[in-house]
Amino acid sequence: MEYGFVDCHCHISAREFEEDLEVVIHRTTEAGVKTLIAVTEEVGEFDRVLQLQDSYPDLVAPCFGIHPLQHSGGAEQRSVRPPDLDAALPLFYKHRERLVAVGEIGLDFTPWCAPTQQDRDDQMTVFVKQLNIAKELELPVNIHSRSAAKVTIQTMTEQGVKHALLHNFAGKPSTALDAVKAGYLFSFPPAVCRNQQRDKLIRQIPLEHICLETDSPALGLDKHVRNEPSNIALSCRYIAHVKGLSPQTVQLVTAQNAYRLFPKAKRC
């Protein structure tokens, strides 16, 4: 097949795209993006991401997941609690044939997001349950690991997870090597272009373990401007620059990596 870009982690079902979705999708395909791995964060998004797959079956590859941070009626976020997963559980099984991964799931131990031990324990409970669902459904996982890189990777290896993407990874290079040894992959959004903080990390991770993402509508080049999947070339060019490779090589290898990790997303 012809390999274009694969955006391995985006929120195309987000409200920020509702008003001009068709224009965004047009820009996405014009930029050479072949597949959007469309993650979800809350059960209320599940129907929307399936509708998007119905509308764009050759582009949108849906994932179901309950994020470690949940919205509590407004803009404020709170740490996830086990009941947040209850309504989602039957939907993973009902739509198992349509899902390409379980995500976005993981841990977020940022102090203001999970200030108590109970918060962290609840996150772990929800995380492990979803890891087990992914294993049962034989699906990879799309992982959030902010301020919790080491414990996230340790938990996945202890649970026997074999296929995982660590999105927007910002842990220590030594921690990343543990994930490489476990066979996990990493993805980086356009936000890495803002500074050189993750250059050492990108240089150290083998290209065979790297994918591209945008995390749209967040984590763009400018934090105050909505990000889009069409910006994925920024990630590609930056990784190529840091590694001393051609953008074409990075585009090809990261796409091959993505379809290896998410085989159900491959359209051909």
Side-chain angles (χ1 to χ4, degrees):
M1 68 178 290
E2 177 192 350
Y3 287 100
F5 291 111
V6 180
D7 188 343
C8 282
H9 187 104
C10 70
H11 299 265
I12 197 64
S13 58
R15 293 173 183 168
E16 287 88 340
F17 293 123
E18 284 181 351
E19 291 189 4
D20 63 343
L21 179 65
E22 285 190 25
V23 176
V24 170
I25 293 294
H26 177 73
R27 284 195 288 261
T28 296
T29 56
E30 285 292 298
V33 179
K34 299 296 184 185
T35 303
L36 298 177
I37 307 295
V39 295
T40 49
E41 296 183 340
E42 302 182 0
V43 68
E45 287 184 89
F46 288 7
D47 280 345
R48 173 67 172 159
V49 80
L50 293 180
Q51 290 167 8
L52 290 174
Q53 188 195 35
D54 289 337
S55 299
Y56 308 100
D58 295 326
L59 180 68
V60 175
C63 311
F64 283 1
I66 301 299
H67 193 278
L69 303 180
Q70 297 287 292
H71 288 92
S72 49
E76 293 295 314
Q77 287 185 311
R78 60 165 173 81
S79 191
V80 71
R81 295 189 281 266
D84 295 320
L85 182 60
D86 291 346
L89 286 174
L91 300 177
F92 285 102
Y93 298 94
K94 179 180 179 181
H95 300 290
R96 62 191 296 170
E97 297 303 322
R98 297 182 65 175
L99 302 180
V100 302
V102 172
E104 177 177 0
I105 66 173
L107 301 172
D108 193 319
F109 289 172
T110 311
W112 54 88
C113 295
T116 70
Q117 186 61 47
Q118 185 64 55
D119 290 330
R120 295 186 285 276
D121 290 347
D122 284 348
Q123 283 193 24
M124 183 64 76
T125 297
V126 173
F127 182 38
V128 169
K129 282 185 177 180
Q130 291 183 99
L131 292 177
N132 287 325
I133 290 169
K135 287 191 296 180
E136 185 178 347
L137 300 182
E138 298 183 330
L139 291 172
V141 288
N142 207 315
I143 298 293
H144 176 103
S145 59
R146 188 168 64 166
S147 299
K150 190 169 185 177
V151 66
T152 300
I153 292 166
Q154 183 178 0
T155 301
M156 290 195 296
T157 56
E158 288 174 352
Q159 294 295 321
V161 172
K162 302 297 185 186
H163 307 289
L165 178 77
L166 289 147
H167 115 89
N168 189 35
F169 188 79
K172 295 178 180 177
S174 58
T175 303
L177 283 182
D178 291 337
V180 168
K181 290 174 185 174
Y184 303 154
L185 278 71
F186 303 79
S187 57
F188 299 98
V192 296
C193 305
R194 295 178 194 166
N195 53 56
Q196 298 177 318
Q197 289 181 353
R198 279 186 271 184
D199 286 13
K200 181 179 179 182
L201 182 65
I202 291 169
R203 275 194 296 268
Q204 181 171 292
I205 298 171
L207 184 59
E208 290 70 28
H209 286 263
I210 292 179
C211 292
L212 303 177
E213 68 157 293
T214 62
D215 199 28
S216 304
L219 297 186
L221 192 59
D222 183 336
K223 67 174 68 175
H224 302 295
V225 177
R226 182 187 71 174
N227 191 20
E228 295 184 8
S230 59
N231 291 327
I232 198 162
L234 296 173
S235 298
C236 181
R237 288 197 296 266
Y238 191 79
I239 291 168
H241 168 72
V242 171
K243 284 189 162 294
L245 301 169
S246 71
Q248 292 79 11
T249 296
V250 172
Q251 177 181 349
L252 175 63
V253 175
T254 56
Q256 291 172 336
N257 296 342
Y259 290 126
R260 189 175 71 248
L261 178 61
F262 304 110
K264 290 176 70 177
K266 194 169 184 177
R267 314 284 184 199
C268 64

